[in-house]
Amino acid sequence: MKALQFRTKKKRVSKPAQNGDLGLRIAVAFALIIICFSMLIARFVYLQVIKYDEYVIAATNNRISLIPTPPIRGEIVDVNGVVLAHNYPAYSLEITPNQIPGKLEDTINALRNYVDITPSDMKRFNKFRAEYRSYEKVPLKLKLTMEEASRLAAELYRFPGVEINARTFRDYPYGELLAHIVGYIGRISDRDMAALDKAELTTLYRGSTHIGKMGLEEYYERQLHGIPGYREVEKDAQGHIVRTIKTVPAVPGQTLRLGLDIRVQQEADRLMGDKRGALVAINPQTGAILAMVSKPSYNPNLFIDGIDTDTWKSLNEDWRHPLLNRATQGMYPPGSTFKPFLAMAALESGKLTQSTVLPAPGFWSIPGSTHQFRDAARGGHGSANLNKAIQVSSDTFFYRLGYEMGVDRMSPYLAEFNLGKQTGIDINHEYAGVLPTRAWKEKRFARSKPHQARVWQPADSVSMAIGQGYNAYTPLQMAFATAILSNDGVVYRPHLVQALLDHNSKKMTLIDPQPVRTVPFKRGNFEYVKDAMQKVLKPGGTAAAVGSGLAYTMGGKTGTAQVVQIKQGARYNAAALKLQLRDHAWFIAFAPADKPQIAIAVILENNGWGATAAPLARQLADFYLLKLKNLPSAKEAANSADLPVNDLSNNAMMDAKQHNEHSQTDLPPLLRAYRPQPGL
């Protein structure tokens, strides 16, 4: 018992110590609780009071999203409203790779049960997949048929990450006929995005997938593209759209109306046939391009959604260069079509007068040299003045003239016809050509040895005078120079687009043709040279056969451009040369002679004498003037008492023309358009 009592007492003694520890612990715990609650309250105050505005904005942004709506691209139409480039809706099958459960290949194989997926579709898909981010929609098959779209739509719930979307596709109904004019659109590349970032235009392309790559599609990209719209939507926590709060519609791009008539383009293309070369027709009174053909051509529809490797290789490696726009990028020696412009230089510089007569033998040599520069006519033409020398295309006459004038005297006058400069036409990548000068040769052959090779030689002037040597111009430049000459030096810049229609404002903006400048040459000299060019199409002229039966007055000039030099004493034999080494055939023309409505330049590559190109210009002029414009014949015009004879005034004619057009049509308000133009 004592032992038991002792143990009981021991327990009683230990109780006060345990109660003290418990109280301390409770106090510490209570303090910790207070501290934690204080921290929570402080954090709550920080989040709900101090950071309230910031987090409200962030929460709203997570809940509210802006979905961009790409604009509908503007159309391109001809002068009569015929559609040359347009849009059409279609369904496309698209996949978002990072939303596909399991293997992507399994999903694609399952989709084959509903949609015909071709090897070319897979090539395009793999190409796009490499370019796109994993969360972006990648087109697997473009342009589903209605049967395919409806069949798959009922089964889409089985395919997470797979969608059928309505898209707008671009189409070029005339294909190869207008490829080098209209150009094409293509997928926006990294280089395009870098250019857009630099120009601070990225926001305008939110939601857009394509951009203009060539031709008018590239040059007028800003006008054609339009302005994107957007949908302001509310999403739930899973990112699903709950409701649409606001919709701002996209502004469609403007429609381009060209001065080109598709019927003239088709006729020019028919006349060119399968020949390699180019044909350019301009209205000298306005600068409007009436037709511009480059052969061979290509189908621009191939490039819209990414051209396959094999097709690209076949186009790029084709020796005929179908991707080259010969009208603006093909540079050729002009041959004898150069002579009328040199004649103007000789008259304006005072080197010759209209009555000066010079020998025109079968060959001519530089004084002190034994090298013979031969005439195309073996016996020559005896003697001639400038008028006759142009009519019969006397080489020896112009050899001597070029030698005596020299390059320093020739080039400044020739430059007045814009030779060796870009015309400023409204498509990019135009070549400037070469109007040779001493400085040009020094720079061009700066690294040549010996130094003498860089120095301008008398023989260079001789070759230059007949359109050979270092001369190199595009068909567009030759057509432009012909238009300037035929229009007595009044210069209208060549342009394709005539007006822009804004569907949003319902306004049409005219690109109002105004003279850029006037060549300061004597009117009498223009008339003299144009008279000589009319005689080219009359008996004794180099294109007399083409001028037979003309219903209107027409001036022209043939030209044969050598591709390879013929050895001294040898005669040109086309049959002995490879096709690519044969001469080019040139012809320039304008009509009617007194009030020209069309100026034409034609080049047929490796086609021989210039006279072979002349029929094309004659037939195109007949089609345009007689069939489309109903031009009265020269005899009818002379006998008509109802037609007053007015002095040729380009400004007056343009004012009258515009007045007639505006008064006969119910057009919306008209404005003048400003297009930045480099100086001529």
Side-chain angles (χ1 to χ4, degrees):
M1 289 297 292
K2 289 182 179 179
L4 181 61
Q5 290 177 354
F6 176 76
R7 293 193 188 96
T8 303
K9 288 180 179 178
K10 188 175 182 180
K11 289 181 180 177
R12 289 175 183 171
V13 172
S14 62
K15 281 183 179 180
Q18 291 179 354
N19 289 338
D21 290 342
L22 180 62
L24 179 61
R25 292 174 184 174
I26 293 174
V28 171
F30 183 75
L32 289 174
I33 292 172
I34 295 298
I35 293 172
C36 289
F37 270 101
S38 298
M39 292 175 64
L40 288 174
I41 293 171
R43 184 63 177 171
F44 179 80
V45 171
Y46 175 78
L47 294 176
Q48 296 294 322
V49 179
I50 299 175
K51 304 289 287 187
Y52 175 80
D53 292 337
E54 180 180 338
Y55 284 106
V56 164
I57 295 173
T60 303
N61 289 339
N62 289 332
R63 183 173 60 90
I64 306 299
S65 297
L66 297 180
I67 301 176
T69 305
I72 300 298
R73 194 170 183 85
E75 294 185 334
I76 302 175
V77 301
D78 84 337
V79 68
N80 298 310
V82 177
V83 177
L84 311 179
H86 70 107
N87 313 292
Y88 66 94
Y91 292 109
S92 65
L93 175 59
E94 301 177 2
I95 292 178
T96 307
N98 69 348
Q99 294 182 7
I100 300 295
K103 293 182 179 180
L104 179 61
E105 291 75 11
D106 294 340
T107 298
I108 293 176
N109 289 332
L111 290 171
R112 294 181 190 274
N113 296 322
Y114 307 94
V115 176
D116 180 23
I117 301 174
T118 65
S120 61
D121 291 331
M122 288 304 303
K123 275 187 179 180
R124 185 187 301 110
F125 174 75
N126 290 328
K127 180 176 182 292
F128 288 166
R129 189 182 172 193
E131 297 172 355
Y132 286 32
R133 297 177 178 87
S134 62
Y135 58 83
E136 291 183 309
K137 298 173 185 176
V138 183
L140 175 59
K141 184 175 180 63
L142 302 169
K143 304 171 189 175
L144 296 173
T145 65
M146 290 302 297
E147 182 181 352
E148 288 176 329
S150 59
R151 186 166 59 235
L152 179 59
E155 304 293 333
L156 270 183
Y157 70 93
R158 299 173 50 198
F159 299 100
V162 178
E163 298 179 15
I164 296 176
N165 290 313
R167 285 184 175 269
T168 300
F169 293 90
R170 195 70 159 171
D171 180 59
Y172 304 107
Y174 288 95
E176 295 184 1
L177 180 64
L178 296 167
H180 292 109
I181 295 175
V182 174
Y184 56 85
I185 63 171
R187 304 286 306 186
I188 297 177
S189 65
D190 291 339
R191 180 181 295 181
D192 295 326
M193 284 305 303
L196 292 173
D197 289 340
K198 185 176 181 181
E200 298 181 351
L201 295 173
T202 308
T203 54
L204 288 178
Y205 285 81
R206 290 188 63 189
S208 296
T209 57
H210 288 72
I211 194 170
K213 297 285 187 176
M214 294 293 290
L216 294 173
E217 293 277 29
E218 178 187 21
Y219 190 92
Y220 287 97
E221 170 62 26
R222 304 279 182 85
Q223 291 83 357
L224 287 166
H225 179 261
I227 302 173
Y230 64 89
R231 280 195 307 149
E232 187 176 340
V233 299
E234 182 179 357
K235 295 182 178 180
D236 60 18
Q238 286 72 40
H240 300 140
I241 296 176
V242 176
R243 64 188 178 99
T244 299
I245 300 172
K246 180 180 180 182
T247 299
V248 175
V251 178
Q254 299 180 47
T255 291
L256 306 183
R257 190 182 77 182
L258 311 187
L260 176 147
D261 190 320
I262 191 60
R263 295 170 297 177
V264 182
Q265 182 77 2
Q266 288 174 319
E267 180 66 10
D269 185 79
R270 184 190 70 80
L271 292 169
M272 289 288 294
D274 294 330
K275 300 179 180 70
R276 287 176 291 110
L279 184 153
V280 179
I282 300 178
N283 184 342
Q285 304 295 329
T286 65
I289 299 294
L290 305 175
M292 189 168 75
V293 174
S294 175
K295 300 292 287 276
S297 186
Y298 64 94
N299 186 352
N301 291 296
L302 297 172
F303 289 85
I304 296 174
D305 291 303
I307 189 169
D308 64 85
T309 304
D310 293 338
T311 304
W312 167 251
K313 185 177 180 181
S314 66
L315 288 172
N316 198 42
E317 296 180 358
D318 190 333
W319 69 271
R320 300 173 304 161
H321 305 295
L323 297 175
L324 176 70
N325 184 356
R326 286 167 163 81
T328 60
Q329 297 176 319
M331 299 206 303
Y332 311 87
S336 293
T337 59
F338 189 73
K339 291 173 181 175
F341 307 104
L342 183 60
M344 288 295 299
L347 292 171
E348 287 295 321
S349 68
K351 174 58 185 175
L352 297 181
T353 67
Q354 295 180 9
S355 59
T356 302
V357 176
L358 295 176
F363 66 89
W364 177 86
S365 297
I366 295 175
S369 171
T370 59
H371 181 86
Q372 294 181 351
F373 292 92
R374 293 165 298 173
D375 197 277
R378 199 173 278 193
H381 301 280
S383 60
N385 60 8
L386 267 174
N387 193 287
K388 180 183 176 182
I390 292 173
Q391 180 188 10
V392 300
S393 198
S394 171
D395 290 329
T396 52
F397 183 98
F398 283 96
Y399 285 145
R400 177 172 179 165
L401 179 60
Y403 169 75
E404 293 181 353
M405 288 188 69
V407 66
D408 297 332
R409 204 169 182 180
M410 288 189 287
S411 292
Y413 291 97
L414 293 166
E416 291 289 344
F417 293 98
N418 209 69
L419 296 174
K421 303 175 186 176
Q422 291 181 333
T423 66
I425 190 172
D426 44 351
I427 50 177
N428 293 328
H429 317 298
E430 179 193 6
Y431 289 1
V434 176
L435 174 62
T437 63
R438 289 182 187 274
W440 173 86
K441 187 179 182 184
E442 179 73 25
K443 182 178 180 180
R444 170 65 178 79
F445 298 98
R447 297 183 179 180
S448 297
K449 293 181 180 181
H451 180 270
Q452 192 67 14
R454 307 196 293 266
V455 177
W456 189 268
Q457 303 294 332
D460 295 334
S461 296
V462 173
S463 297
M464 177 180 173
I466 63 161
Q468 291 289 159
Y470 300 119
N471 281 304
Y473 310 111
T474 67
L476 174 62
Q477 286 178 311
M478 294 305 297
F480 187 28
T482 304
I484 296 172
L485 176 60
S486 67
N487 206 30
D488 295 337
V490 181
V491 181
Y492 288 88
R493 187 182 302 279
H495 60 276
L496 287 159
V497 174
Q498 180 174 285
L500 297 95
L501 174 61
D502 189 320
H503 295 275
N504 194 48
S505 64
K506 304 299 181 185
K507 290 184 179 180
M508 181 179 289
T509 304
L510 289 181
I511 295 181
D512 208 0
Q514 295 293 322
V516 177
R517 59 184 175 88
T518 300
V519 177
F521 291 173
K522 297 181 181 65
R523 175 70 176 270
N525 289 337
F526 280 111
E527 296 300 332
Y528 178 85
V529 173
K530 289 195 295 181
D531 177 72
M533 295 178 73
Q534 292 179 66
K535 290 180 179 178
V536 169
L537 284 82
K538 295 178 179 179
T542 55
V546 174
S548 177
L550 267 174
Y552 48 86
T553 55
M554 185 179 195
K557 184 69 190 77
T558 56
T560 304
Q562 285 186 341
V563 177
V564 293
Q565 188 175 2
I566 305 301
K567 293 181 180 180
Q568 183 79 93
R571 303 298 297 182
Y572 175 77
N573 181 7
L577 296 172
K578 293 181 179 180
L579 177 62
Q580 294 94 319
L581 301 180
R582 297 174 187 174
D583 293 346
H584 300 319
W586 272 101
F587 190 70
I588 59 173
F590 58 90
D594 55 342
K595 295 180 180 179
Q597 297 183 35
I598 186 170
I600 304 171
V602 184
I603 183 168
L604 303 179
E605 291 183 5
N606 312 120
N607 208 68
W609 299 104
T612 63
L616 279 67
R618 161 70 191 275
Q619 292 177 61
L620 186 65
D622 282 350
F623 179 83
Y624 180 71
L625 296 174
L626 303 180
K627 188 171 182 178
L628 297 187
K629 294 297 182 181
N630 297 314
L631 184 77
S633 66
K635 184 176 180 180
E636 291 172 337
N639 295 333
S640 176
D642 298 329
L643 296 176
V645 179
N646 296 324
D647 181 53
L648 181 62
S649 171
N650 287 288
N651 291 331
M653 290 177 67
M654 277 304 304
D655 290 342
K657 180 177 184 294
Q658 290 182 4
H659 173 74
N660 291 335
E661 289 181 348
H662 299 170
S663 61
Q664 294 173 10
T665 57
D666 296 323
L667 295 176
L670 299 172
L671 300 172
R672 287 187 179 181
Y674 170 74
R675 175 161 57 89
Q677 300 172 342
L680 281 175

